[in-house]
């Protein structure tokens, strides 16, 4: 026996007794019994080695366990792919620039119903499952809600047995890993691929050429062809996505950019011109290096567009190949059948170039005329809008598109021309609106831009928002003119989250209690059943169990916070958490100003007065974009306030302020189950939906929030009395901004007091005036409090006082917590995806027999 297997045996004897024999290294790729699983893990440690054979530590055990799970996933993926090929259903292809997958091991064995099997097997090998799980690094393929939503959707697609696939890019260094120092946030590259990912399967037979730059050749008969420039290869990596307790396993196909050996100039290299010899290899590496590279420079803009086009072109070429494979032997290829077999969903505007690329592939590659190609494209593509923020509605300089994608610019200009002709011929009453509706924006003739959202709306068969309020704003404001042209094109699809990852797996204690009281675990795939908890909302037995589960999660979270920040927090205090991207519209500034005011008041109280205060631990986490200065100042301010408050012996018993570093999915899986109050404080009308609010609510956490995004629907579902509401409403915001410009705003004294306390230097010598100045004045760039922090501050503080009072009444708080979970059934991504499947994609379940 090899040394690492002896090591397994020795550790196992310590655990189980000296008379037991160690697992033999035998391959059981479809293992489900603990003994077979243990043997398969041992097999991978021995025969799929990535480390020297001298040890079997946690890291080695993780990789071997992951590869053991992957065996079963590959078999199920193969079965699913073959079944879809034979059954030939219409299939959906989901294009997204980001996916925030989180750890795969717990999710995979959970969905495969093998958690206990793997726990027992690893125990036989001398390890604990929970320790092995911690070895996995989150895949750095996304940043915020957009990417996490895409990942929840994949989980639901697989669970619902839908013929659907995800497409994305294989970013090597992600957005960034966040480190916190005295200077604030520091960004370093993610290292999730520093060794390798055991979950991805490289498909060397799936690669496609992707061209950039070059020019358009026109033949004598008018046929147009894009030639020249640089051509890179898109290589496919598949990440299997198992459904919950179903055989169906779909995949997330990630593209990696490669150059070939022919692209390496051996002559130049031997001549000492090392960089130019491998120039195309270097350019290939840039494409999938980083998510959202800075785009302040022209080179940055070109790289962003390269990424977007690379995703679209590779994915569409793959989709067309799959379509042709399935048509093989079914008679002559009919392109008119394409929309009845293929649905393409654009997750926000990043994959917009799929529209002109599909047109190009059909016309220049397959020989279709414009009208036929346009008919196919517009019946195939649908678009999800995720934002009304002007800076997030992408606009690309025409000059850059002309340089990078000359053929696509021609196609976009033709779409624009034909759209204008349509309006001129059918809607003369709207001709004065054309300048804002058309795709090409010539308002600055020196710098014309392409409006990607407009291109999506004009070219898609369906456009959807992601919460009822957001969809209403799209129809009444952002896309109002298009609604009068195409009234049936616009829909709402309120976002959802997977209850598997966000309750069943991340909070087993609470989910076991839910299963016990509902007398079924079917709620895991039918979340509406949670409403059955309402009948027990006054039951003392449920209260006791609920409180116990919450305390277990809070204690676990307190240990984690101590581990990563060095700050000791009290599980008996109110855990008040705000975790999301740091952005001024999300108003973490409102939160920290409230904490500053709370601290100042605590300092002014007598010892006896403090004893009456509800102790609170405020936790804030999230990444600020590297070039977003004010967001980074907010991160610094939270840390500076925490450094003072947490070390103040008079106050730290009643208030702690902690910044949670490097927020990601795995961190969220610890924070959300341990939370009691979630701050969802965006300026009304600016958050499209939010999905963090749903995760917190599902875990029995109460929300203090504005009537924004999905908060509106959450409040309707759980009951107004179980939601701490504050702030202006969406339909009041424009009026309030106008009043501010006119000098009619009167600030609350508490607001002024909090700002002045920061300016006094109470939290250090850092100059926070540029940040606080954004809240001052009535107008001007970076001034005038655009996000209404000052306006909403008094009602926010009043709502926080209501929170303090409610928390003192433990019975009332527990009832509200149970009602929060009971009302969360609507917010399952299973419901969302079922609606997409039925109302947008027209696809049906195709379960593997």
């Amino acid at each position: 026996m090899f040394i690492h297997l002896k090591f397994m045996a020795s550790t196992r004897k310590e655990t189980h007794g000296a008379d037991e024999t160690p697992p033999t290294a035998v391959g059981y790729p479809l293992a489900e019994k603990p003994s077979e699983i243990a043997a398969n893990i041992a097999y991978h440690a021995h025969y799929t080695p990535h480390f020297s054979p001298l040890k079997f530590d946690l890291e080695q055990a993780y990789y071997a366990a992951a590869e053991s799970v992957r065996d079963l996933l590959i078999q199920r993926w193969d079965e699913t792919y073959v079944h879809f090929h034979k059954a030939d259903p219409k299939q959906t292809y989901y294009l997204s620039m980001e996916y925030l997958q989180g750890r795969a091991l717990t999710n995979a064995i959970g969905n495969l119903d093998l958690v206990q099997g793997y726990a027992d097997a690893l125990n036989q090998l001398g390890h604990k499952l929970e320790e092995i799980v911690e070895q996995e690094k989150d895949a750095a393929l996304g940043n915020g809600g957009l990417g996490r939503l895409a990942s929840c959707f994949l989980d639901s697609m697989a669970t619902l047995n839908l013929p659907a696939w995800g497409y994305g890019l294989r970013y090597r260094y992600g957005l960034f890993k966040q480190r916190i120092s005295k200077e604030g946030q520091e960004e370093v590259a993610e290292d999730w691929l520093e060794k390798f990912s055991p979950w991805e399967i490289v498909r060397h037979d799936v690669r496609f050429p992707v061209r950039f730059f070059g020019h358009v050749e026109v033949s004598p008969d008018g046929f147009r062809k894009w030639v020249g420039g640089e051509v890179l290869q898109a290589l496919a990596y598949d990440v299997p996505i198992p459904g919950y307790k179903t055989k169906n396993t779909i995949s997330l196909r990630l593209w990696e950019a490669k150059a070939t050996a022919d692209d390496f100039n051996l002559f130049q290299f031997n001549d000492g011109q090392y960089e130019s010899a491998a120039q195309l290899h270097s350019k290939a590496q840039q494409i999938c290096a980083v998510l959202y590279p800075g785009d302040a420079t022209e080179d940055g803009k070109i790289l962003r567009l390269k990424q977007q086009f690379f995703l679209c072109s590779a994915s569409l070429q793959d989709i067309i190949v799959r379509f042709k494979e399935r048509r093989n032997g079914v008679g002559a290829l009919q392109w008119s059948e394409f929309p009845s077999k293929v649905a393409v969903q654009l997750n926000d505007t990043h994959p917009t170039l799929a529209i002109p690329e599909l047109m190009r592939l059909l016309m220049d590659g397959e020989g279709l005329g414009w009208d036929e190609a346009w008919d196919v494209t517009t019946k195939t593509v649908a678009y999800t809008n995720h934002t009304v923020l002007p800076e997030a509605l992408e606009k690309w300089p025409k000059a850059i598109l002309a340089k990078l994608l000359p053929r696509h610019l021609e196609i976009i200009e033709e779409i624009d021309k034909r759209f204008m002709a349509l309006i001129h011929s059918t809607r003369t009453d709207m001709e004065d609106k054309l300048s804002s509706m058309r795709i090409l924006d010539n308002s600055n003739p020196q710098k014309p831009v392409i409006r990607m959202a407009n291109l999506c709306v004009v070219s898609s068969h369906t456009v959807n928002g992601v919460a009822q309020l957001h969809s209403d704003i799209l129809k009444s404001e952002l896309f109002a003119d298009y609604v009068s042209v195409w009234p049936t094109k616009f829909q709402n699809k309120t976002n959802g989250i997977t209850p598997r990852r966000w309750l069943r797996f991340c909070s087993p204690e609470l989910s076991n209690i839910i299963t016990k009281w509902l007398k079924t675990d079917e709620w895991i795939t039918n979340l509406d059943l949670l409403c059955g908890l309402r009948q027990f909302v006054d039951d003392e037995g449920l209260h006791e169990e609920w409180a116990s589960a919450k305390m277990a999660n809070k204690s676990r979270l307190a240990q984690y916070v101590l581990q990563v920040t060095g700050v000791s927090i009290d599980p008996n205090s109110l855990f008040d958490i705000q975790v999301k991207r740091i952005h001024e519209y999300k108003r973490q500034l409102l939160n920290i100003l409230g904490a500053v005011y709370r601290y100042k008041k605590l300092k002014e109280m007598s010892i006896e007065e403090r004893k009456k205060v509800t102790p609170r631990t405020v936790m804030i986490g999230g990444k600020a974009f590297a070039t977003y200065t004010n967001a980074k100042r907010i991160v610094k301010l939270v840390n500076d306030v925490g450094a003072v408050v947490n070390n103040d012996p008079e106050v730290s018993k009643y208030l702690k302020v902690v910044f949670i570093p490097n927020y990601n999915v795995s961190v969220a899986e610890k924070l959300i189950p341990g939370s009691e109050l979630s701050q969802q404080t965006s300026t009304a009308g600016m958050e499209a939906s939010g999905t963090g609010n749903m995760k917190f609510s599902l875990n029995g956490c109460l929300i203090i929030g504005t009537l924004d995004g999905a908060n509106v629907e959450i409040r309707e579902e759980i009951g107004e009395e179980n939601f701490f509401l504050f702030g202006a409403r969406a339909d009041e915001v424009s009026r309030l901004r106008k009043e501010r410009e006119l000098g009619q705003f009167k600030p609350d004294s508490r607001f002024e007091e909090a700002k002045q306390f920061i300016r006094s230097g109470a939290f250090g010598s850092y100059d926070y005036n540029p940040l606080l100045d954004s809240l001052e004045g009535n107008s001007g760039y970076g001034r005038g409090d655009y996000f209404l922090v000052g306006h909403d501050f008094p009602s926010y503080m009043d709502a926080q006082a209501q929170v303090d009072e409610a928390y003192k009444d433990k019975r009332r708080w527990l009832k509200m917590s149970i009602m929060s979970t009971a009302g969360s059934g609507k917010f399952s991504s299973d419901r969302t995806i079922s609606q997409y499947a039925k109302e947008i994609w027209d696809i049906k379940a195709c379960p593997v027999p």
Side-chain angles (χ1 to χ4, degrees):
M1 186 178 287
F2 284 88
I3 217 159
H4 67 294
L5 292 181
K6 284 183 182 173
F7 176 79
M8 292 179 199
S10 66
T11 51
R12 185 171 178 263
K13 283 173 186 172
E14 289 168 21
T15 311
H16 284 277
D19 57 328
E20 296 187 26
T21 54
T24 309
V26 176
Y28 287 98
L30 308 184
E32 295 188 13
K33 295 177 184 172
S35 59
E36 293 176 352
I37 292 170
N40 202 46
I41 293 171
Y43 174 85
H44 279 290
H46 189 52
Y47 295 111
T48 320
H50 304 287
F51 304 92
S52 57
L54 298 175
K55 57 184 179 179
F56 188 69
D57 291 342
L58 289 170
E59 187 179 37
Q60 289 80 16
Y62 158 67
Y63 281 108
E67 283 165 329
S68 174
V69 177
R70 197 181 75 168
D71 288 344
L72 187 54
L73 293 180
I74 289 172
Q75 184 252 353
R76 292 192 175 193
W77 186 91
D78 288 345
E79 282 185 5
T80 305
Y81 192 87
V82 169
H83 177 62
F84 287 175
H85 188 78
K86 285 179 182 171
D88 191 25
K90 182 177 182 181
Q91 302 189 35
T92 289
Y93 302 94
Y94 195 83
L95 272 59
S96 180
M97 282 301 283
E98 41 170 312
Y99 293 86
L100 212 52
Q101 287 289 96
R103 287 173 173 158
L105 180 56
T106 40
N107 197 69
I109 60 176
N111 277 3
L112 294 168
D113 200 19
L114 290 174
V115 174
Q116 196 57 52
Y118 269 82
D120 292 347
L122 285 162
N123 199 30
Q124 289 179 33
L125 297 167
H127 288 297
K128 292 180 179 175
L129 175 60
E130 53 268 33
E131 292 175 354
I132 297 298
V133 163
E134 290 297 319
Q135 297 301 303
E136 183 175 357
K137 292 176 179 177
D138 280 32
L141 299 171
N143 172 35
L146 184 82
R148 186 51 236 170
L149 179 78
S151 294
C152 281
F153 279 2
L154 292 181
D155 182 84
S156 287
M157 290 169 187
T159 298
L160 294 168
N161 299 316
L162 291 170
W165 312 90
Y167 282 107
L169 294 184
R170 184 178 180 262
Y171 303 106
R172 184 166 191 86
Y173 302 115
L175 185 75
F176 60 83
K177 185 191 288 187
Q178 183 190 55
R179 288 187 184 152
I180 302 298
S181 69
K182 287 184 178 178
E183 282 68 48
Q185 171 182 293
E186 294 177 358
E187 303 89 21
V188 295
E190 289 271 14
D191 59 352
W192 76 290
L193 286 176
E194 200 73 358
K195 290 192 173 79
F196 69 101
S197 168
W199 302 105
E200 57 185 22
I201 300 132
V202 61
R203 305 288 188 189
H204 290 290
D205 58 327
V206 182
R207 61 166 64 217
F208 297 100
V210 179
R211 186 184 308 275
F212 301 107
F213 303 110
H215 62 278
V216 180
E217 274 185 359
V218 185
S219 64
D221 61 357
F223 185 80
R224 311 181 82 82
K225 189 178 181 185
W226 182 26
V227 296
E230 58 188 42
V231 179
L232 298 175
Q233 300 295 312
L235 176 65
Y237 286 75
D238 281 345
V239 179
I241 310 290
Y244 181 76
K245 293 187 179 179
T246 172
K247 287 183 181 178
N248 282 49
T249 298
I250 60 173
S251 67
L252 167 58
R253 179 158 284 180
L254 301 171
W255 299 108
E256 167 102 303
K258 295 274 189 186
T260 66
D262 287 344
D263 297 317
F264 185 80
N265 191 318
L266 203 56
F267 176 82
Q268 284 185 333
F269 191 86
N270 287 328
D271 192 40
Q273 301 175 54
Y274 305 126
E275 288 185 12
S276 55
Q279 192 175 31
L280 209 56
H281 289 77
S282 174
K283 288 181 176 178
Q285 286 183 333
Q286 291 168 11
I287 287 179
C288 293
V290 172
L291 169 65
Y292 301 141
D295 60 356
T297 64
E298 181 169 316
D299 283 347
K301 289 182 174 67
I302 286 174
L303 182 56
R304 282 258 192 132
L305 262 181
K306 273 186 168 184
Q307 288 184 328
Q308 295 186 0
F309 179 66
F310 190 78
L311 166 66
C312 296
S313 181
S315 303
L316 285 168
Q317 289 182 71
D318 193 34
I319 291 165
I320 286 173
V321 165
R322 290 190 187 196
F323 171 71
K324 287 179 172 178
E325 280 176 354
R326 299 206 308 279
R327 298 299 88 202
N328 197 14
V330 191
L333 188 66
Q334 298 290 330
W335 284 102
S336 57
E337 291 180 4
F338 191 79
S340 66
K341 292 296 179 183
V342 172
V344 173
Q345 187 69 36
L346 309 181
N347 192 27
D348 216 352
T349 53
H350 310 124
T352 304
L353 289 167
I355 294 162
E357 174 64 352
L358 183 54
M359 289 290 290
R360 183 190 73 84
L361 290 168
L362 292 173
M363 292 190 298
D364 302 359
E366 303 297 339
L368 274 66
W370 177 279
D371 290 341
E372 192 182 355
W374 181 246
D375 188 58
V376 169
T377 299
T378 54
K379 287 177 177 174
T380 300
V381 176
Y383 159 57
T384 300
N385 172 278
H386 283 277
T387 184
V388 295
L389 294 180
E391 70 268 24
L393 289 168
E394 292 184 295
K395 296 176 183 176
W396 290 106
K398 178 182 173 183
I400 287 179
L401 224 68
K403 183 193 296 187
L404 185 69
L405 302 168
R407 179 68 178 119
H408 298 79
L409 180 60
E410 288 184 346
I411 292 168
I412 291 167
E413 288 181 322
E414 184 66 20
I415 294 171
D416 188 45
K417 184 176 124 188
R418 290 178 182 236
F419 170 66
M420 289 195 293
L422 172 76
I423 298 300
H424 285 309
S425 63
T426 63
R427 292 296 301 269
T428 51
D429 58 313
M430 299 197 68
E431 287 180 342
D432 61 327
K433 303 281 182 67
L434 255 179
S435 61
S436 62
M437 292 175 73
R438 62 178 297 192
I439 296 157
L440 197 59
D441 180 358
N442 286 316
S443 54
N444 180 350
Q446 277 72 46
K447 293 182 178 178
V449 295
I450 309 296
R451 295 185 276 219
M452 304 307 258
N454 292 23
L455 177 55
C456 285
V457 173
V458 168
S459 311
S460 301
H461 61 79
T462 306
V463 176
N464 73 280
V466 290
Q468 193 61 59
L469 174 65
H470 172 235
S471 296
D472 291 345
I473 291 171
L474 291 184
K475 288 199 280 188
S476 63
E477 296 176 28
L478 193 67
F479 298 142
D481 294 332
Y482 297 107
V483 173
S484 68
V485 180
W486 297 296
T488 60
K489 182 177 279 201
F490 297 84
Q491 297 186 15
N492 174 57
K493 294 286 169 280
T494 297
N495 282 342
I497 57 170
T498 167
R500 273 75 64 184
R501 184 179 289 272
W502 294 114
L503 181 53
R504 179 67 194 97
F505 305 151
C506 74
S507 186
E509 294 96 339
L510 195 63
S511 69
N512 288 341
I513 289 165
I514 292 167
T515 296
K516 173 187 166 184
W517 285 81
L518 294 180
K519 294 185 169 58
T520 178
D521 67 355
E522 287 183 15
W523 60 269
I524 299 167
T525 49
N526 181 6
L527 206 60
D528 286 334
L529 294 177
L530 289 180
C531 67
L533 291 170
R534 288 175 181 148
Q535 64 186 300
F536 308 116
V537 73
D538 291 309
D539 193 298
E540 295 295 338
L542 177 57
H543 281 208
E544 190 176 326
E545 292 178 26
W546 200 269
S548 174
K550 265 291 174 190
M551 183 51 75
N553 286 330
K554 288 178 72 178
S555 298
R556 215 169 11 246
L557 175 53
Q559 288 172 1
Y560 175 76
V561 170
L562 180 62
Q563 175 194 328
V564 297
T565 70
V567 180
S568 177
I569 60 175
D570 180 7
N572 292 304
S573 65
L574 168 60
F575 278 13
D576 167 352
I577 298 179
Q578 185 176 30
V579 279
K580 52 183 74 236
R581 278 188 306 124
I582 309 293
H583 197 294
E584 286 168 286
Y585 90 82
K586 293 178 185 281
R587 299 200 297 188
Q588 288 91 349
L589 189 52
L590 182 65
N591 186 348
I592 195 61
L593 283 168
V596 165
Y597 183 79
R598 180 180 288 266
Y599 173 63
K600 187 171 186 292
K601 293 297 114 181
L602 279 164
K603 289 293 285 179
E604 293 167 2
M605 288 179 188
S606 67
I607 293 172
E608 290 307 310
E609 286 172 323
R610 283 186 200 131
K611 286 179 181 175
K612 298 173 187 172
V613 169
T614 301
R616 188 184 292 230
T617 300
V618 177
M619 292 175 245
I620 298 175
K623 295 177 180 179
F625 199 71
T627 55
Y628 190 173
T629 308
N630 259 4
K632 292 180 81 168
R633 287 179 180 133
I634 291 168
V635 173
K636 168 104 173 107
L637 178 58
V638 174
N639 281 282
D640 285 351
V641 170
V644 172
V645 172
N646 302 340
N647 293 298
D648 187 329
E650 291 181 335
V651 169
S652 61
K653 188 176 171 183
Y654 303 100
L655 178 64
K656 290 277 176 76
V657 175
V658 186
F659 188 88
I660 308 294
N662 202 41
Y663 180 61
N664 60 19
V665 175
S666 296
V667 175
E669 288 169 357
K670 296 179 179 72
L671 286 167
I672 291 170
S675 62
E676 292 175 294
L677 182 71
S678 169
Q679 302 217 23
Q680 304 291 337
T681 57
S682 52
T683 311
M686 302 200 78
E687 186 74 84
S689 165
T691 50
N693 45 9
M694 301 170 186
K695 292 160 198 159
F696 282 102
S697 191
L698 179 62
N699 278 270
C701 174
L702 304 186
I703 292 174
I704 180 169
T706 52
L707 277 182
D708 195 24
N711 284 359
V712 178
E713 291 160 80
I714 290 172
R715 185 167 172 262
E716 286 170 0
E717 295 293 316
I718 69 173
E720 294 177 10
E721 67 280 7
N722 301 310
F723 189 104
F724 297 100
L725 180 67
F726 76 93
R729 295 169 191 247
D731 57 6
E732 299 171 329
V733 169
S734 59
R735 173 180 59 80
L736 290 167
R737 284 181 181 145
K738 181 61 68 180
E739 289 173 3
R740 178 77 184 230
E741 283 179 28
L742 297 172
Q744 295 170 1
F745 171 66
K746 299 281 188 296
D748 184 85
S749 60
R750 294 170 290 182
F751 182 58
E752 295 300 296
E753 209 174 324
K755 289 186 297 179
Q756 187 50 43
F757 196 42
I758 295 169
R759 285 195 165 107
S760 73
F763 304 105
S765 58
Y766 183 83
D767 182 12
Y768 282 108
N769 283 313
L771 175 62
L772 297 174
D773 284 350
S774 69
L775 307 175
E776 311 295 356
N778 297 323
S779 61
Y781 181 74
R783 291 175 66 80
D785 192 11
Y786 184 77
F787 300 103
L788 305 184
V789 177
H791 176 275
D792 283 359
F793 191 81
S795 64
Y796 172 74
M797 294 307 294
D798 294 346
Q800 288 285 20
Q802 292 167 22
V803 170
D804 288 333
E805 282 309 302
Y807 195 71
K808 288 174 183 173
D809 183 347
K810 294 300 179 194
R811 179 178 165 78
R812 179 188 168 201
W813 189 273
L814 280 166
K815 279 181 67 172
M816 293 169 79
S817 174
I818 294 164
M819 289 298 285
S820 181
T821 299
S824 293
K826 175 180 177 178
F827 305 105
S828 169
S829 50
D830 296 347
R831 185 265 316 151
T832 313
I833 285 298
S834 294
Q835 291 178 337
Y836 273 98
K838 184 178 179 185
E839 297 164 20
I840 297 180
W841 303 331
D842 189 27
I843 63 170
K844 294 179 173 60
C846 189
V848 175

